[in-house]
Amino acid sequence: MALSTAQRVAAALRARIESGDLPPGHRLSEEALGREHEVSRNTLREAFRLLIHDSLVVHLLNRGVFVRALEPADVTDIYRMRAALETAGVRAAAHAPRTLHDAVSATVTEAEQAAAAGEWQQVGSADLHFHRALAALAQSPRIDSAMDRLLAELRLAFHEMPSPRRFHEPFLARNRALAKMLESGEHARAEAELTTYLDDARELILGAMKEAHA
């Protein structure tokens, strides 16, 4: 089904949030975005409503629309949802086609190359691609759609970390190890490692949030 204009604008803004281009607290200007996307104010407001529904932006009375800043409870729930979606992919990996397994390995290489270039925001983007690829092993369009919405929220969580490099660098080797486990058919081991991995990442973010608000 073809997307409406508002849906296309919302998708473009969601992609910018996921890439890290629009950080938490950033004000979304109706005037600037209307010119950029060549849409009416009503269309733009409908796009904002879609993003509000996805928990990516908030409307503050008399102030405008802003990219949402997460609370600790949001991070906890995001990781709860991630665990459900990504472990579903790992459990289904034995029946996934080669193209989907290749996509997992390709995202690991993408992250490693970005790290070698010192592009740590790009490492974060590649990490999101890796986790989307894990979930995609389930071969479920609904899981894919849920991951697309969730990963933009996850990027907002990444912004809570004071140093992208210190946050992402330890997970590069863990991503490679997970990909190798899946490649060798160690699915139970991969699921256990993924569970620990997600718990560790969640606690790092929650710890940074606690320090920032101490």
Side-chain angles (χ1 to χ4, degrees):
M1 185 180 356
L3 297 178
S4 70
T5 302
Q7 288 172 320
R8 288 197 297 272
V9 173
L13 292 173
R14 188 181 298 110
R16 290 182 64 187
I17 291 171
E18 184 180 322
S19 73
D21 185 41
L22 299 176
H26 181 90
R27 182 176 180 274
L28 299 177
S29 165
E30 285 189 5
E31 295 79 8
L33 290 172
R35 289 193 301 270
E36 178 183 344
H37 294 279
E38 299 182 334
V39 295
S40 69
R41 183 162 292 186
N42 284 341
T43 295
L44 194 57
R45 288 176 178 173
E46 177 59 28
F48 288 162
R49 281 192 285 271
L50 294 171
L51 295 174
I52 289 170
H53 182 266
D54 286 348
S55 301
L56 295 176
V57 305
V58 293
H59 179 258
L60 301 180
L61 191 62
N62 299 323
R63 292 185 58 198
V65 176
F66 295 81
V67 177
R68 189 164 172 259
L70 302 182
E71 299 291 335
D74 297 314
V75 173
T76 298
D77 199 39
I78 287 168
Y79 273 82
R80 186 180 295 120
M81 184 71 164
R82 286 187 68 188
L85 299 176
E86 294 181 40
T87 55
V90 169
R91 289 171 188 165
H95 306 290
R98 168 53 50 190
T99 53
L100 294 181
H101 282 278
D102 289 345
V104 172
S105 297
T107 61
V108 178
T109 300
E110 177 190 357
E112 291 168 344
Q113 290 174 343
E119 299 289 345
W120 291 98
Q121 182 160 298
Q122 291 302 314
V123 173
S125 294
D127 184 65
L128 297 179
H129 300 160
F130 172 72
H131 291 283
R132 181 186 276 114
L134 286 183
L137 293 169
Q139 301 182 75
S140 165
R142 288 173 176 81
I143 287 179
D144 293 343
S145 179
M147 282 296 290
D148 285 343
R149 292 192 300 271
L150 190 67
L151 291 182
E153 272 196 282
L154 183 59
R155 172 66 83 168
L156 298 181
F158 285 176
H159 281 289
E160 297 292 337
M161 301 305 295
S163 168
R165 177 172 183 170
R166 286 180 58 194
F167 178 54
H168 292 298
E169 193 166 32
F171 289 100
L172 288 169
R174 295 179 75 169
N175 287 358
R176 177 59 72 185
L178 266 169
K180 287 182 177 178
M181 289 176 203
L182 292 172
E183 184 68 25
S184 61
E186 299 177 88
H187 301 121
R189 185 182 172 200
E191 182 179 348
E193 167 56 22
L194 177 62
T195 300
T196 302
Y197 175 121
L198 294 176
D199 287 344
D200 291 345
R202 181 194 65 230
E203 291 308 308
L204 283 171
I205 294 172
L206 291 175
M209 294 176 84
K210 184 176 181 180
E211 288 183 15
H213 296 94

